[in-house]
Amino acid sequence: MNEGKEKSGFLRLLELAGKKKTKLVAACALSVLSSAAKLVPYFTIYGIIVTMLGSYNDISGMDKNRIMLFTGITFAAALVYGICAYSSSALAHTAAYDIIYELRIRLLGKLGKLPSGFFTGKTQGGIKKILSDDTEQVEIFVAHHLCDIASSIATPVFTLIYLFVMDWRLALITLVPIIISLVLLTLCLVRPDKASLQIEMHDSQEAMQGTIVQYIHGMPVIKIFNRSLAAFRRYEGDINRFVSAVDKTARANAWPMSAYYVFFGAQLLFLLPSSAWILSRAESYIDYLPVALLFLLVGTGLREPMENMMQMVILSGRITEGVKRMDGILKTPELVCGGCNMPGSFDIEISGVSYSYTPGIKAVNNVNCTLGQGTITGLAGPSGGGKSTLAALLLRFFDPDNGVIKIGGTDLRDFSAETLSNLVSYVFQESVIFHDTVENNIRMGNKEASMEQVIEAAKAAEIHDVIMALPNGYKSVIGGDGAFLSGGEQQRLSIARVFLRNTPIVILDEATAYADAENEAKIQNAFARMAKDKTVLIIAHRLKTIEKADQILIMKDGHLLDCGKHMELLARCNEYKEMVDANERRNNWTIKGMESKV
Amino acid sequence: MRHFKEWFKTMTLGQTKKYLQLLLWCLFDSFVVSIPYAVMVLAVYVLLMPIASPEISLPADRIWILTGILVVQAIAYLFIRKKSYLDFCIGFAGTTKTSRIEMGEHLRKLSMGFFSSRDAGDLSTVLLRDYTEIETFAQQILPQAATVLIRFTLAIIALSAFNIKMMAAVFAVIPLSLPFALLSMKRMEKEGAELQQAQQEAASGILEYVGGIRTLKAFNMAGGHFETLKTTLDNQRKASINIETKAALPVSMLGRFTLNCGISVVMLTGTFLMINNELPPFYFIAFLLLTLTIYDPVLSLFTFIADLSRTTRSGRRIRSLFEEKPLQEPSVSAVSKSSDIEFKNVSFGYGNKEVLHDISLSFPAKTVTALVGPSGSGKSTITRLIARFWDADSGEILFGGVPVKELKTEDLIGNISMVFQDVYLFQDTVEANIKMGKSDASREEVVEAAKRACCHDFIMALPDGYNTMIGEGGSTLSGGEKQRISIARALLKDASVILLDEATSSLDPENEVLIQHAISELVADKTVIVIAHRLQSVCNADQIVVLQDGKIAEQGTHQQLLTSDGLYTKLWKEQNHAGSWRIRE
């Protein structure tokens, strides 16, 4: 990408179009040609009339060959028009879909290279919108508008030049109504009170859309609280507000816009008297008459391409927004990876690490600690305290703002992406299962694994029996083949993946286990197996889980408050004691109050 | 014809009359726009007069009359266009508005079950995109159709007065080009189906990729998976290009060519007739001039026709929403005597799949009943049937001794509060969100409810306290905070029956303790039906109902169930074991 000047909107789009530029230029040229061919009949009819004029009162003496020539030209022009219009559109569409395809591939490829943290705080829907909808906008623009713009500008311009050569006076007259209508249109768009109407229209439209979405999404709540009438009133009110904004804007613009249309169609009104006037003063009536007829004809033919041109100018502004959103992805810096291979040991050393999502608020604040190879570290603390951010930093979802994280003495940033993914693994809370066979889903962990290893991993994750009960066993396609897995089963399948990966460091989130009460014990068993002989960091919600851990880290407000064994912390850390107490209370709560404890 | 009528009704959002009015005005507008073309023909005639009879000079008065007509036309058109412009901006917006509001009123009456079984995103797409689609389409096609109609009618009348044979020549190409338009439409349907398939695959491929990107990256698989997606996208690209190159070919190239050949056909026929003295020279010129304005609107119409199927789909989606039937409601509500709830031999299924089989249960007033069992056993279906999301397929559900069908929805729902896991907050102030429970509540009542639901402290810490905007564009609340707001709502509503779905999603212990505290406030002295995930929290419920595969497996108090040593005992042991789990023993 070129440094320095940032291109935007249309120019940036052409830049993104890259190699397809030639196709686009050809498409535009063909489009200009086709609209020129469309104007040909105006000239041939003019030619025929002139031919007839020579022998108007004695048609038999008319130059028939000339008329046949014009007929032939008209026919050829129809052919050229059909061919050019079609090939222009075909070329433009092909180029457009090629561009979209390449853009999508580039965007998707880029997504694969962005730090995982990029996706935090972004909805899948939002990213999908950029990939599908915004790129489609490019199609509409490239395939339709671009060529239309070219032809709708070129045609009137060439025609006007021709008219000026024929007779500059009448050409000027032809321009008069066009100029008046342009002035009217500009007035309409630029006046400040009109601008405020536009803003109100835009705002009320947004409000209406928001209300509609809430009306639908909130309907269960609305109904439960018997508030549907009130909600409906608001829904109705916002729709009315939008329509009345449309109404107001339309009324404010009605006169100038109508005048704009009237003048646009009024060429004849200006041309007829002036050409008659010039004719009456012409040296030879019969010599000048053809010129007058030409203007009457072509002048009226000019209206449509001019109208198109106006629309195109308005449309071309729309592309900017979508291009900007795509650049939001394309221009986000990628993580730079070093080339270091597996380290000799798997100690994790976190020194002076800070990270902020929003400037000024540190989610992790100057944390220092060491996780020894083969030890289990528990991570506890209130939600929002920075536990998951610390884990995300270990996985290099982000790079720390300050400080450094080292594995076996090497900075995370110096590992190659592949090495890092072979070093650390993580069981995500939301299990992602791909539309593929069970086997391939597990194999994601390690492409080269033997079938025995796959089965072994499935057994370790306590999912083997479930798989064997599926219609095609390991070959069943999940989601098809009648192979459906419950939430907990999907979770265990994704744990099997991690088993197969067999990395020396694992990060676990205990919440994963009890997202599904029925599978809780099974997932716990799998976790316990996974933790053997590894460097483990476990984010704990139930403190019992980490009672026997080698060390427990307490995080609150981004700070590492304390670090030690269970007994040590009980003795010295107030926060820990309070947490243990809250745990206790939570576990003993019953819906009917405390009086009848079991 | 009936088919067309039905279609027309769909596409006009049921407001056929209004649309016909708009169409009528469009016709009038097109008529007035066509006047200058007639004037042009006359002007040419006048200008040719000195040629036709060399003895006379240009009749200036006639030119002035024609100019006068044009001036009058322009002034008249200014007014006509103003109304057309307003019709266009407001008229169509008005029809959409009317239908949207009707839709809102209709949706309001549909059952809760409808909303829980349909994707809210899809429904909003209908209300937003499909309506806009129809509006835009009508805005484009109506004037286009009007222009075609008017120009044809005028041309047929005027031209047949001149010469029938020439008229035939002018219109000959239109039936010839029609098959190309139809062929395109057919091809479009076929290729369109393929494209749709490719689009769906690409869309779900993209979604899978974006949704799974972190996992893919964690396993260093982003590249490999990317290859599959690349093929899918390439298929979509090819299918899209096919539509534009193959399907569009007949209408875009041949249709265009045929139509524009019309002019040369007129030239040829005219010359021939003129030489045979069947056509005066001026008539020939008139024909030539008028043919110029005939073919373009037809071509535009063809292009719209190709687009028709997409818009028709939008129209159908809107209509099918209107066709959803609300549950039957009695006009007068029966009087329920208490908040006892009873199921008598209730069976219920979603579609063909029965999920509850012959359930008989009673939930006495002011007792706590816990529903326990594996997912899919029918626990939440039971609570939803009580709130009349749907009606039971067979059997009866009684509320205070009265069948729920005989209660008006507002009376039934007025007695029930539901606290579920997925909390929906409106883009409004905190206070307004809590006030959902009771619209006329005073600020004191709101604060009181918030305090009891353990919300007050975090609300006061928000930038504008109770007046803070929440939801999109406002402050964001954590999952635990949202749940407590929903409990505050329910507290304010103070219904006699509480349906509760105990959260499974994990919160930190402090947050959970607060929620538990709020729930304790809510359920005191009420008829409570709770879907329980952690057995510990319901072990002192008045009755525990263990469900399995839509049937009652066991029923009784905690102690009774433990002695019977069935499914409950198994679940209880498992959970106790899991609760004391340590990652390392």
Side-chain angles (χ1 to χ4, degrees):
Chain A
M1 237 143 279
N2 60 341
E3 302 284 313
K5 233 170 90 184
E6 294 279 310
K7 291 179 177 169
S8 70
F10 176 63
L11 288 177
R12 171 74 180 135
L13 182 71
L14 279 187
E15 194 175 55
L16 289 171
K19 276 176 273 165
K20 298 294 170 290
K21 236 183 267 176
T22 342
K23 261 189 196 168
L24 284 180
V25 171
C28 287
L30 283 168
S31 165
V32 171
L33 205 58
S34 84
S35 60
K38 213 177 149 213
L39 274 179
V40 164
Y42 287 91
F43 294 93
T44 50
I45 289 177
Y46 161 72
I48 289 177
I49 296 176
V50 173
T51 312
M52 285 166 63
L53 286 185
S55 48
Y56 194 70
N57 294 316
D58 176 27
I59 287 302
S60 50
M62 185 177 63
D63 185 350
K64 286 175 210 92
N65 289 335
R66 226 178 130 75
I67 291 195
M68 283 306 124
L69 176 68
F70 283 124
T71 311
I73 292 175
T74 315
F75 180 79
L79 195 62
V80 170
Y81 171 58
I83 293 173
C84 287
Y86 168 72
S87 21
S88 158
S89 146
L91 257 180
H93 276 100
T94 312
Y97 288 116
D98 285 348
I99 291 172
I100 293 185
Y101 171 73
E102 273 164 26
L103 261 179
R104 284 188 177 151
I105 296 292
R106 261 169 81 179
L107 284 165
L108 287 165
K110 179 80 185 184
L111 286 178
K113 289 189 195 118
L114 287 176
S116 292
F118 175 81
F119 302 98
T120 319
K122 285 201 174 57
T123 59
Q124 276 180 39
I127 295 174
K128 195 196 145 234
K129 185 178 174 299
I130 297 173
L131 279 167
S132 334
D133 301 356
D134 288 344
T135 48
E136 238 144 66
Q137 279 290 313
V138 174
E139 187 264 324
I140 296 173
F141 185 76
V142 171
H144 302 268
H145 300 165
L146 197 60
C147 293
D148 287 352
I149 288 175
S151 66
S152 62
I153 290 175
T155 323
V157 168
F158 285 135
T159 317
L160 279 172
I161 292 174
Y162 178 73
L163 289 181
F164 267 98
V165 171
M166 294 300 285
D167 187 303
W168 63 270
R169 294 166 299 179
L170 285 180
L172 275 181
I173 302 277
T174 316
L175 272 179
V176 168
I178 293 174
I179 289 169
I180 295 179
S181 40
L182 289 189
V183 170
L184 283 169
L185 189 68
T186 340
L187 279 181
C188 220
L189 294 174
V190 187
R191 266 173 51 192
D193 55 323
K194 300 283 165 62
S196 75
L197 282 174
Q198 289 287 341
I199 291 169
E200 160 67 9
M201 195 156 94
H202 185 255
D203 287 352
S204 61
Q205 182 174 23
E206 269 195 352
M208 175 185 81
Q209 285 167 346
T211 306
I212 288 178
V213 169
Q214 291 198 48
Y215 187 69
I216 303 278
H217 286 255
M219 190 50 94
V221 184
I222 293 170
K223 288 180 80 87
I224 287 169
F225 290 106
N226 262 337
R227 294 293 295 280
S228 69
L229 196 66
F232 174 70
R233 292 275 169 261
R234 179 166 166 194
Y235 167 93
E236 192 181 31
D238 276 353
I239 290 178
N240 279 327
R241 184 183 146 209
F242 168 63
V243 175
S244 76
V246 171
D247 187 289
K248 243 193 228 155
T249 318
R251 277 178 208 286
N253 286 332
W255 284 119
M257 282 308 279
S258 315
Y260 160 78
Y261 279 107
V262 167
F263 279 105
F264 233 124
Q267 270 83 8
L268 196 60
L269 172 59
F270 287 82
L271 282 170
L272 181 58
S274 30
S275 52
W277 190 77
I278 295 176
L279 255 181
S280 63
R281 255 145 254 260
E283 283 167 30
S284 152
Y285 187 86
I286 192 139
D287 284 348
Y288 193 75
L289 183 61
V291 180
L293 289 177
L294 173 78
F295 273 93
L296 290 192
L297 260 172
V298 180
T300 38
L302 206 56
R303 176 195 162 161
E304 205 187 325
M306 285 301 285
E307 218 173 316
N308 287 341
M309 185 164 105
M310 292 315 301
Q311 297 212 319
M312 288 309 136
V313 172
I314 296 169
L315 278 175
S316 57
R318 287 197 195 157
I319 193 71
T320 318
E321 218 21 64
V323 172
K324 213 192 273 170
R325 274 196 294 266
M326 281 186 266
D327 270 342
I329 292 182
L330 286 176
K331 293 193 174 165
T332 308
E334 297 168 12
L335 280 186
V336 182
C337 296
C340 287
N341 294 326
M342 278 295 194
S345 72
F346 307 116
D347 301 317
I348 302 171
E349 201 183 313
I350 300 171
S351 31
V353 166
S354 298
Y355 184 79
S356 322
Y357 293 101
T358 39
I361 307 162
K362 286 190 173 164
V364 168
N365 196 346
N366 194 24
V367 168
N368 292 288
C369 62
T370 309
L371 283 63
Q373 177 175 356
T375 64
I376 293 179
T377 303
L379 186 53
S383 62
K387 298 189 301 267
S388 349
T389 311
L390 190 64
L393 287 168
L394 276 182
L395 289 156
R396 215 181 160 210
F397 279 13
F398 323 95
D399 284 330
D401 300 333
N402 299 103
V404 70
I405 301 174
K406 288 180 178 169
I407 296 179
T410 310
D411 190 328
L412 278 192
R413 284 170 278 209
D414 293 334
F415 288 115
S416 68
E418 198 190 337
T419 309
L420 192 61
S421 88
N422 286 331
L423 261 176
V424 192
S425 53
Y426 173 60
V427 178
F428 289 87
Q429 269 203 52
E430 74 278 15
S431 47
V432 179
I433 303 294
F434 295 91
H435 186 74
D436 204 338
T437 61
V438 173
E439 185 189 333
N440 284 342
N441 262 293
I442 299 177
R443 239 176 230 286
M444 279 189 66
N446 180 359
K447 282 253 161 191
E448 277 87 47
S450 67
M451 195 61 209
E452 285 69 41
Q453 286 173 305
V454 170
I455 293 174
E456 202 182 313
K459 282 183 177 158
E462 310 216 345
I463 187 71
H464 177 71
D465 295 342
V466 177
I467 296 171
M468 292 315 284
L470 293 177
N472 295 322
Y474 280 84
K475 301 279 179 225
S476 311
V477 175
I478 300 168
D481 291 354
F484 296 99
L485 298 179
S486 76
E489 287 161 355
Q490 293 188 6
Q491 200 95 57
R492 269 144 52 209
L493 192 66
S494 62
I495 293 173
R497 253 181 221 159
V498 179
F499 264 112
L500 202 59
R501 188 141 204 85
N502 196 23
T503 59
I505 300 169
V506 290
I507 297 172
L508 301 172
D509 189 337
E510 190 206 352
T512 316
Y514 53 81
D516 193 303
E518 296 149 42
N519 293 289
E520 197 175 353
K522 287 184 174 143
I523 293 172
Q524 286 172 340
N525 288 340
F527 274 8
R529 265 180 220 126
M530 193 177 285
K532 268 194 196 116
D533 306 323
K534 300 207 158 144
T535 311
V536 178
L537 179 73
I538 177 162
I539 302 174
H541 295 250
R542 215 160 13 200
L543 295 178
K544 206 163 212 111
T545 305
I546 50 172
E547 230 167 54
K548 301 270 177 73
D550 296 295
Q551 62 175 344
I552 299 169
L553 310 177
I554 311 292
M555 286 204 66
K556 193 181 176 187
D557 302 328
H559 291 280
L560 180 60
L561 281 188
D562 207 338
C563 168
K565 285 189 186 296
H566 173 67
M567 293 313 283
E568 298 165 10
L569 290 172
L570 265 188
R572 67 170 186 238
C573 179
N574 270 331
E575 274 78 8
Y576 188 69
K577 265 187 279 182
E578 275 165 26
M579 281 160 56
V580 171
D581 188 45
N583 261 271
E584 201 59 29
R585 274 194 287 150
R586 175 192 60 184
N587 291 341
N588 289 327
W589 178 81
T590 56
I591 196 156
K592 279 201 87 181
M594 294 298 209
E595 76 275 9
S596 57
K597 262 184 72 174
V598 182
Chain B
M1 198 60 208
R2 230 186 80 225
H3 184 70
F4 175 77
K5 220 172 149 186
E6 195 57 25
W7 174 82
F8 193 69
K9 212 177 145 191
T10 308
M11 299 302 283
T12 53
L13 306 170
Q15 303 170 65
T16 317
K17 232 177 160 179
K18 175 90 189 170
Y19 269 78
L20 286 177
Q21 272 173 16
L22 288 169
L23 178 66
L24 223 58
W25 186 260
C26 283
L27 288 175
F28 182 56
D29 183 291
S30 306
F31 173 73
V32 178
V33 171
S34 308
I35 291 175
Y37 292 108
V39 173
M40 184 168 75
V41 175
L42 293 175
V44 170
Y45 178 73
V46 174
L47 290 177
L48 286 176
M49 278 164 78
I51 309 283
S53 25
E55 69 281 359
I56 60 166
S57 61
L58 182 66
D61 52 338
R62 299 207 187 171
I63 292 290
W64 289 120
I65 290 172
L66 288 177
T67 311
I69 294 175
L70 285 174
V71 171
V72 173
Q73 186 267 350
I75 293 171
Y77 191 59
L78 182 66
F79 290 91
I80 293 165
R81 182 70 215 186
K82 184 182 170 235
K83 183 172 154 37
S84 306
Y85 181 78
L86 290 179
D87 269 0
F88 264 75
C89 299
I90 303 166
F92 289 107
T95 52
T96 312
K97 176 186 99 170
T98 316
S99 182
R100 264 203 184 120
I101 289 178
E102 275 171 17
M103 179 64 87
E105 181 70 32
H106 175 71
L107 287 175
R108 187 165 89 79
K109 292 191 179 121
L110 294 178
S111 69
M112 299 274 286
F114 171 79
F115 289 96
S116 66
S117 62
R118 292 285 291 265
D119 179 51
D122 285 348
L123 292 178
S124 356
T125 311
V126 175
L127 268 168
L128 294 171
R129 230 199 17 229
D130 286 338
Y131 270 109
T132 317
E133 185 96 27
I134 293 251
E135 189 180 321
T136 322
F137 185 72
Q139 267 176 351
Q140 288 174 333
I141 202 165
L142 271 195
Q144 211 58 243
T147 316
V148 169
L149 270 175
I150 281 292
R151 294 218 177 142
F152 272 33
T153 323
L154 289 182
I156 288 173
I157 296 170
L159 296 181
S160 31
F162 284 140
N163 188 305
I164 292 278
K165 281 184 193 161
M166 278 301 277
M167 208 256 321
V170 171
F171 286 100
V173 290
I174 290 171
L176 284 179
S177 63
L178 205 60
F180 297 121
L182 294 177
L183 186 63
S184 267
M185 217 167 125
K186 245 203 185 118
R187 279 204 190 173
M188 203 69 102
E189 249 164 55
K190 185 179 155 281
E191 301 278 343
E194 258 162 53
L195 176 65
Q196 212 174 1
Q197 173 79 16
Q199 268 170 340
Q200 265 166 12
E201 269 167 31
S204 61
I206 288 178
L207 204 63
E208 194 178 66
Y209 184 80
V210 172
I213 186 91
R214 291 218 278 200
T215 309
L216 289 168
K217 281 167 64 70
F219 290 100
N220 210 21
M221 289 276 295
H225 198 80
F226 187 53
E227 290 306 314
T228 339
L229 185 53
K230 229 170 159 174
T231 324
T232 319
L233 286 175
D234 198 37
N235 287 340
Q236 187 193 6
R237 177 181 73 92
K238 284 181 193 143
S240 308
I241 292 178
N242 266 350
I243 282 256
E244 299 297 340
T245 52
K246 282 193 200 144
L249 178 70
V251 73
S252 173
M253 179 143 83
L254 301 172
R256 238 183 217 145
F257 166 64
T258 319
L259 271 180
N260 271 50
C261 272
I263 302 175
S264 27
V265 172
V266 171
M267 286 176 175
L268 211 60
T269 322
T271 317
F272 179 73
L273 290 173
M274 203 163 57
I275 291 168
N276 288 345
N277 274 328
E278 280 183 50
L279 187 73
F282 171 67
Y283 282 13
F284 181 44
I285 292 175
F287 271 105
L288 286 178
L289 295 179
L290 289 176
T291 35
L292 278 174
T293 66
I294 292 276
Y295 301 124
D296 262 2
V298 181
L299 192 66
S300 317
L301 204 60
F302 281 177
T303 335
F304 283 123
I305 289 173
D307 255 357
L308 210 60
S309 58
R310 199 186 57 200
T311 322
T312 308
R313 275 200 295 276
S314 288
R316 293 224 178 96
R317 273 194 295 267
I318 291 175
R319 202 179 61 185
S320 75
L321 261 194
F322 270 118
E323 280 165 0
E324 288 286 340
K325 293 266 176 303
L327 292 179
Q328 290 289 317
E329 287 241 1
S331 46
V332 183
S333 219
V335 184
S336 55
K337 293 169 226 38
S338 66
S339 55
D340 291 320
I341 296 165
E342 201 176 347
F343 275 53
K344 277 186 182 167
N345 307 99
V346 170
S347 295
F348 176 75
Y350 302 100
N352 296 323
K353 197 175 161 245
E354 198 174 87
V355 290
L356 285 185
H357 319 285
D358 196 25
I359 299 276
S360 294
L361 259 178
S362 71
F363 307 89
K366 304 201 175 177
T367 62
V368 174
T369 303
L371 302 176
V372 170
S375 62
S377 59
K379 300 180 300 254
S380 42
T381 308
I382 289 185
T383 56
R384 286 176 177 184
L385 285 177
I386 294 172
R388 212 180 163 210
F389 274 43
W390 304 276
D391 281 329
D393 295 334
S394 66
E396 209 164 44
I397 299 161
L398 304 174
F399 189 97
V402 178
V404 287
K405 287 182 199 175
E406 287 169 29
L407 290 167
K408 286 180 107 167
T409 310
E410 53 193 67
D411 292 326
L412 175 68
I413 292 284
N415 280 310
I416 299 174
S417 274
M418 291 189 244
V419 177
F420 288 152
Q421 286 185 61
D422 41 347
V423 177
Y424 188 83
L425 294 182
F426 293 87
Q427 210 176 325
D428 208 331
T429 62
V430 175
E431 183 176 359
N433 266 291
I434 297 178
K435 262 192 177 175
M436 282 295 295
K438 186 180 170 197
S439 50
D440 56 353
S442 66
R443 172 54 82 86
E444 286 67 38
E445 285 175 283
V446 170
V447 173
E448 168 69 19
K451 279 184 178 159
R452 286 171 65 202
C454 306
C455 294
H456 184 69
D457 291 344
F458 84 76
I459 294 172
M460 290 315 283
L462 293 173
D464 295 311
Y466 282 86
N467 296 325
T468 310
M469 290 294 286
I470 44 180
E472 222 173 292
S475 292
T476 42
L477 301 181
S478 75
E481 289 165 344
K482 281 187 191 168
Q483 292 209 344
R484 280 179 275 154
I485 294 261
S486 80
I487 294 171
R489 272 180 191 164
L491 274 167
L492 208 53
K493 183 174 177 182
D494 197 28
S496 54
V497 175
I498 310 283
L499 305 178
L500 188 68
D501 190 350
E502 196 192 38
T504 52
S505 57
S506 73
L507 295 167
D508 59 287
E510 285 87 346
N511 243 315
E512 261 191 82
V513 168
L514 290 173
I515 290 175
Q516 289 170 341
H517 184 84
I519 291 178
S520 297
E521 284 285 323
L522 179 67
V523 300
D525 239 13
K526 304 274 198 244
T527 309
V528 180
I529 298 164
V530 53
I531 298 172
H533 300 281
R534 193 179 306 139
L535 301 181
Q536 167 68 37
S537 59
V538 293
C539 64
N540 58 355
D542 298 294
Q543 66 171 338
I544 296 169
V545 178
V546 185
L547 289 159
Q548 193 171 26
D549 300 327
K551 288 192 191 116
I552 298 171
E554 288 173 289
Q555 192 177 357
T557 63
H558 177 70
Q559 290 304 340
Q560 289 166 345
L561 290 171
L562 278 189
T563 39
S564 70
D565 199 25
L567 180 60
Y568 184 80
T569 316
K570 193 178 146 246
L571 291 171
W572 176 256
K573 279 184 183 156
E574 258 176 25
Q575 283 209 357
N576 271 335
H577 176 73
S580 57
W581 175 74
R582 295 184 183 101
I583 189 153
R584 171 192 282 165
E585 286 304 329

